[in-house]
């Protein structure tokens, strides 16, 4: 992009993509903002005009709002903690030379290709079902009472299911990062008297910090919006109602588009708060 | 103390034997250089001594006790890697302090030793920088600093200067030699550059395909190479190796004569030829000479700037007492 001509040519070429992306983002955003200031009840009179900030006030003052925010944050934090901790471990394991490495790697990546709805249903019916699930059989085998996972430990169960889906992503990114670690650094540390654990904490983990940051940021974006896993398992019951699920209920179950749209705007604000917060604590890893 | 002894050591990677049975003794305080062409097993040998590779058969003794199965950290050796292997996320100070921290030394002692090392190696000015912000020579110094704070029984260097530019290389070469004089610790130094070997070593070990071709002081190797490989490898420019009729005159299969042992004379001389390439360095002139009636081109070194150029006729007189004779197996004939 050295000359003026090539720069303007580049702009021209990029224009369609930029316009498309902008439209893709701006149209729904504008519509959400528009509806959030209107009373819009599709089955009870349709669009009934401006209401100012009523929807916003109603959404926050509803008794479901703060629990939904905290559930969202708990699920995001839980999944991040599990996927990153296990992802680092798995990446280290997969980096070891072993028999059948190729097959094992594909198996580890496989969950990522299963649709969220399908994997959640598989977990719900095959593993977590309190009478016929594999966990129930396991519990009975050891003489314990089967746990009703999705009603008695609903949030942890959802975290488990979502972690299972996102673990491959974390593992994959961390594995490529581990493979770029200079083995002479590990050998130098070994000669310097570092135990395997010390080598992990002083050499491997700092080397992975950038990859971990990337996993953290990308996963957060997607995890804030998880929906299918909740929809097909608990349906938002037993304290698993996240912010996005609450919005869904307001729009479709209560048939109140104005209220749901206001919730959407809150979700955007929440996502931005989380993003700023994350960038503050981990963003510096990206500069160096 | 730092006496290292290898007894019948072999190393195989899978089916490939990289080091055939090898015996070697490195005396305490000696500066030993492993030299040989790329891929001859120098690094492998060094890594066997360090403990970074398991030896396939044989024994390694350090200071008289068997170290074959001792983990690297407990062998009391420090290594400087070709890539320096500095820890990129730690400051220079933390890099140097790392082995001491791993040894759970108390902080006051660590600071004292790191400062002392920084003093010796002139690291003080950039002690709080990270390796990424240093030049190649500075990184090299940090790597050496990290090695010396441990006060090891021996230092192992794997081609430590190969990533530096020529001028820096000469400087670092001297610094390492001086460091050796100051510390009087055993050093094993791997290089493929015979000039480094000649200038630094107390003892040179010439390797080819994992086999020790000759062990000796630089001048022993220069004066009495045990075979044609060592003869060709040690010395710059390379020794002229001549076979055929000319060698038969000396009752040998091959004769060798170093470029600096052939005199350029006005007329007469044993060999005549035409100058191919003439390299004028000012202090010396190297001539590559064709059409001598010998199979190969001859290299001749003349002192000072001799004004013969391409195509000129040249008369050469080899010094009779500097001719090395080798038999059909390439071994030296006494
Ligand atoms: N980890 C390894 N696996 C298989 N072969 C190796 C390994 N390391 C070195 N080799 C082989 O051993 C030989 C000697 O290598 P090396 O010691 O690195 O040579 P040098 O340092 O003298 O250049 C080479 O032929 C190389 O291919
Ligand atoms: Mg090497």
């Amino acid at each position: 992009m050295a000359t003026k001509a090539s720069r303007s040519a580049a702009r021209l070429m990029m224009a369609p993509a930029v316009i498309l992306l902008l439209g893709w983002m701006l149209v729904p955003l504008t519509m959400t903002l528009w509806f959030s200031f209107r009373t819009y009840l599709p089955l009870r009179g349709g669009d009934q005009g401006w209401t100012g900030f009523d929807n916003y006030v109603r959404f926050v003052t509803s008794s479901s709002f703060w629990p939904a925010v905290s559930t969202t944050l708990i699920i995001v934090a839980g999944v991040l903690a599990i996927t990153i901790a296990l992802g680092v471990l798995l990446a280290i394991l997969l980096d070891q030379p072993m028999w059948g490495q190729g097959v094992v790697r594909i198996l580890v990546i496989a969950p990522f290709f299963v649709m969220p709805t399908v994997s959640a249903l598989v977990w719900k019916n095959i593993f977590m079902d309190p009478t016929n699930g594999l966990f129930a059989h396991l519990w009975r085998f050891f003489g314990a009472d089967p746990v009703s996972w999705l009603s008695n430990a609903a949030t942890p169960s959802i975290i488990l299911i979502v972690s299972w889906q996102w673990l491959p992503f974390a593992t994959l990114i961390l594995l490529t990062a581990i493979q770029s670690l200079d083995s002479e650094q590990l050998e130098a540390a070994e000669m310097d008297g570092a135990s395997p654990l010390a080598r992990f904490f002083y050499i491997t983990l700092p080397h992975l910090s950038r990859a971990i940051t990337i996993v953290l940021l990308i996963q957060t974006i997607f995890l804030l919006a998880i929906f299918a896993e909740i929809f097909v398992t608990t349906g938002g019951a037993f304290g698993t109602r996240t912010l996005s699920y609450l919005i869904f209920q307001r729009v479709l179950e209560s048939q109140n588009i104005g209220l749901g749209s206001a919730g959407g705007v809150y979700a955007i604000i929440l996502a931005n708060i989380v993003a700023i917060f994350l960038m503050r604590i981990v963003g510096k890893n990206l500069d160096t | 103390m730092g006496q290292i002894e290898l007894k019948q050591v072999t190393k195989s990677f899978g089916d490939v034997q990289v080091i055939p049975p090898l015996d070697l003794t490195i005396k305490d305080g000696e500066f030993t250089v492993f030299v040989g062409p790329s891929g001859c097993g120098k690094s492998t040998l060094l890594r066997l001594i360090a403990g970074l590779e398991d030896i396939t058969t044989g024994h390694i003794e350090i200071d008289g006790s068997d170290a074959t199965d001792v983990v690297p950290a407990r062998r009391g050796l420090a290594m400087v890697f070709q890539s320096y292997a500095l820890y990129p996320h730690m400051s220079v100070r933390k890099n140097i302090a790392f082995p001491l921290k791993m040894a759970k030394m108390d902080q006051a002692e660590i600071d004292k030793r790191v400062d002392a090392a920084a003093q010796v190696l002139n690291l003080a000015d950039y002690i709080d920088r990270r390796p990424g912000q240093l030049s190649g020579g500075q990184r090299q110094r940090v790597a050496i600093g990290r090695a010396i704070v441990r006060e090891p029984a021996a230092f192992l260097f794997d081609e430590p200067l190969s990533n530096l530019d020529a001028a820096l290389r000469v400087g670092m070469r001297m610094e390492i030699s001086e460091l050796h004089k100051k510390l009087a610790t055993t050093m094993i130094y791997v290089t493929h550059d015979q000039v480094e070997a000649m200038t630094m070593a107390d003892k040179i070990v010439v390797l080819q395909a994992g086999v020790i071709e000759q062990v000796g002081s630089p001048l022993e190797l220069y004066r009495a190479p045990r075979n044609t490989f060592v003869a060709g490898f040690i010395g710059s420019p390379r020794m002229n190796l001549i076979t055929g009729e000319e060698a038969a005159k000396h009752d040998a299969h091959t004769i060798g004569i170093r470029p600096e042992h052939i005199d350029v004379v006005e007329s007469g001389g044993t060999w005549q030829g035409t100058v191919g390439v003439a390299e004028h360095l000012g202090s010396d002139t190297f001539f590559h000479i064709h059409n001598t009636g010998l199979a190969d081109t001859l290299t001749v070194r003349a002192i000072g700037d001799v004004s013969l150029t391409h195509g000129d006729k040249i008369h050469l007189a080899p010094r009779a007492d500097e001719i090395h004779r080798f038999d059909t197996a390439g071994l030296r004939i006494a």
Side-chain angles (χ1 to χ4, degrees):
Chain A
M1 307 282 164
T3 64
K4 223 178 232 173
S6 68
R7 261 199 300 272
S8 52
R11 264 191 218 121
L12 204 67
M13 297 292 168
M14 282 191 316
V18 171
I19 290 168
L20 190 70
L21 279 175
L22 263 182
W24 211 272
M25 202 182 76
L26 283 180
V27 170
L29 182 66
T30 322
M31 283 176 70
T32 306
L33 280 172
W34 169 270
F35 285 128
S36 69
F37 290 106
R38 295 183 79 85
T39 303
Y40 187 4
L41 309 164
L43 298 184
R44 286 165 285 156
D47 196 343
Q48 292 159 19
W50 299 106
T51 61
F53 282 91
D54 274 7
N55 286 326
Y56 286 91
V57 174
R58 267 184 69 197
F59 197 89
V60 208
T61 47
S62 134
S63 63
S64 321
F65 178 73
W66 288 109
V69 170
S70 83
T71 306
T72 309
L73 294 179
I74 287 169
I75 290 178
V76 170
V79 174
L80 284 176
I82 292 176
T83 50
I84 287 172
L86 289 183
V88 170
L89 281 180
L90 266 178
I92 289 174
L93 278 179
L94 288 177
D95 190 42
Q96 311 296 318
M98 61 178 168
W99 188 81
Q101 203 164 37
V103 177
V104 173
R105 282 187 190 170
I106 289 173
L107 284 179
V108 168
I109 295 160
F112 207 46
F113 298 118
V114 181
M115 277 180 283
T117 332
V118 176
S119 77
L121 281 174
V122 167
W123 274 94
K124 178 187 181 186
N125 296 324
I126 296 184
F127 290 103
M128 292 174 165
D129 190 275
T131 45
N132 294 317
L134 287 179
F135 288 162
H137 285 295
L138 195 69
W139 257 244
R140 272 190 227 107
F141 178 80
F142 288 108
D145 278 334
V147 180
S148 309
W149 291 98
L150 287 166
S151 42
N152 291 342
T155 310
S157 300
I158 300 264
I159 291 177
L160 181 68
I161 295 170
V162 178
S163 299
W164 182 80
Q165 275 173 12
W166 281 92
L167 186 55
F169 172 78
T171 307
L172 212 60
I173 298 227
L174 294 169
L175 177 62
T176 54
I178 274 191
Q179 284 169 337
S180 72
L181 176 58
D182 175 15
S183 66
E184 283 197 345
Q185 270 178 40
L186 289 173
E187 287 177 343
E190 192 179 349
M191 294 215 56
D192 282 345
S195 64
L197 210 60
R199 287 199 294 268
F200 173 75
F201 281 109
Y202 285 105
I203 313 295
T204 311
L205 208 54
H207 175 79
L208 288 180
S209 64
R210 187 186 301 217
I212 290 177
T213 309
I214 289 168
V215 170
L216 211 65
L217 292 177
I218 294 181
Q219 285 200 10
T220 305
I221 294 167
F222 285 95
L223 293 177
L224 280 170
I226 52 163
F227 175 79
E229 294 86 342
I230 298 169
F231 183 73
V232 300
T233 53
T234 61
F238 312 113
T240 60
R241 184 156 49 197
T242 60
L243 195 55
S244 54
Y245 204 87
L246 182 65
I247 295 166
F248 159 77
Q249 287 187 330
R250 290 289 180 264
V251 173
L252 277 154
E253 289 174 13
S254 326
Q255 286 290 326
N256 189 337
I257 290 185
L259 194 57
S261 299
V265 176
Y266 282 121
I268 294 169
I269 294 169
L270 178 72
N272 277 292
I273 291 174
V274 171
I276 290 168
F277 183 66
L278 278 178
M279 290 305 270
R280 272 283 164 80
I281 53 173
V282 297
K284 67 180 194 305
N285 283 336
L286 291 175
D287 311 329
T288 49
Chain B
M1 283 293 285
Q3 163 143 330
I4 297 168
E5 227 171 312
L6 309 186
K7 293 180 172 168
Q8 288 295 302
V9 166
T10 70
K11 174 69 187 175
S12 305
F13 290 110
D15 294 334
V16 188
Q17 192 172 52
V18 177
I19 312 270
L22 177 145
D23 289 290
L24 181 67
T25 304
I26 292 155
K27 293 207 208 77
D28 182 35
E30 220 170 30
F31 197 116
T32 303
V33 174
F34 293 170
V35 69
S38 238
C40 72
K42 307 177 297 285
S43 297
T44 307
L45 197 55
L46 199 69
R47 291 165 57 82
L48 290 175
I49 295 172
L52 294 173
E53 300 275 359
D54 291 325
I55 62 177
T56 310
T57 61
H59 293 279
I60 292 182
E61 285 181 8
I62 298 175
D63 289 334
S65 59
D66 193 349
T68 314
D69 297 317
V70 177
V71 297
R74 299 208 185 287
R75 293 191 184 196
L77 309 176
M79 185 147 165
V80 174
F81 291 83
Q82 186 170 1
S83 67
Y84 314 136
L86 299 177
Y87 311 128
H89 50 275
M90 297 183 200
S91 66
V92 168
R93 173 178 288 283
K94 287 200 172 135
N95 261 283
I96 298 176
F98 188 73
L100 306 179
K101 190 170 168 188
M102 289 299 110
K104 306 223 159 43
M105 197 175 273
D106 68 66
Q107 194 60 42
E109 177 69 15
I110 292 181
D111 288 341
K112 208 177 88 196
R113 288 217 203 173
V114 172
D115 289 335
Q119 183 80 39
V120 170
L121 293 160
N122 290 322
L123 295 172
D125 290 343
Y126 39 89
I127 194 93
D128 290 316
R129 291 203 213 153
R130 293 210 178 169
Q133 301 162 316
L134 302 180
S135 71
Q138 293 168 334
R139 286 182 209 182
Q140 179 65 71
R141 257 180 257 255
V142 176
I144 294 173
R146 192 172 63 185
I148 63 176
V149 286
R150 290 175 54 195
E151 299 179 355
F155 291 95
L156 312 177
F157 294 91
D158 190 355
E159 310 217 11
L161 308 185
S162 59
N163 290 336
L164 303 181
D165 63 61
L168 212 50
R169 200 144 56 202
V170 174
M172 281 309 291
R173 207 160 77 193
M174 303 234 273
E175 282 191 37
I176 294 175
S177 290
E178 264 170 36
L179 195 67
H180 178 243
K181 299 274 179 312
K182 201 179 309 178
L183 302 174
T185 311
T186 312
M187 290 190 179
I188 305 179
Y189 186 102
V190 162
T191 179
H192 62 267
D193 179 357
Q194 61 92 25
V195 177
E196 271 175 32
M198 292 297 279
T199 51
M200 301 172 86
D202 293 324
K203 182 162 92 183
I204 297 181
V205 177
V206 182
L207 289 163
Q208 187 195 12
V211 178
I212 296 182
E213 297 288 351
Q214 188 169 6
V215 179
S217 72
L219 286 182
E220 273 166 27
L221 265 55
Y222 178 80
R223 292 204 182 111
R226 207 171 65 83
N227 55 32
T228 48
F229 177 79
V230 179
F233 199 79
I234 299 292
S236 172
R238 288 163 58 90
M239 183 190 275
N240 297 293
L241 292 170
I242 302 160
T243 50
E245 224 173 285
E246 194 65 30
K249 284 186 201 160
H250 292 87
D251 287 330
H253 177 263
T254 308
I255 56 167
I257 177 97
R258 295 193 185 278
E260 56 270 41
H261 296 146
I262 303 178
D263 294 316
V264 178
V265 290
E266 288 292 320
S267 58
T270 316
W271 300 317
Q272 288 86 37
T274 48
V275 175
V277 174
E279 298 171 329
H280 298 276
L281 303 181
S283 60
D284 313 274
T285 309
F286 298 129
F287 295 110
H288 300 272
I289 295 157
H290 307 293
N291 307 325
T292 49
L294 308 169
D296 309 288
T297 54
L298 278 182
T299 310
V300 174
R301 171 180 167 220
I303 303 282
D305 192 13
V306 178
S307 57
L308 288 168
T309 53
H310 180 81
D312 289 349
K313 197 107 189 116
I314 193 169
H315 299 267
L316 303 169
R319 297 179 199 162
D321 54 346
E322 299 282 7
I323 291 177
H324 305 264
R325 302 185 304 140
F326 303 97
D327 63 17
T328 43
L331 291 177
R332 181 182 191 79
I333 305 172

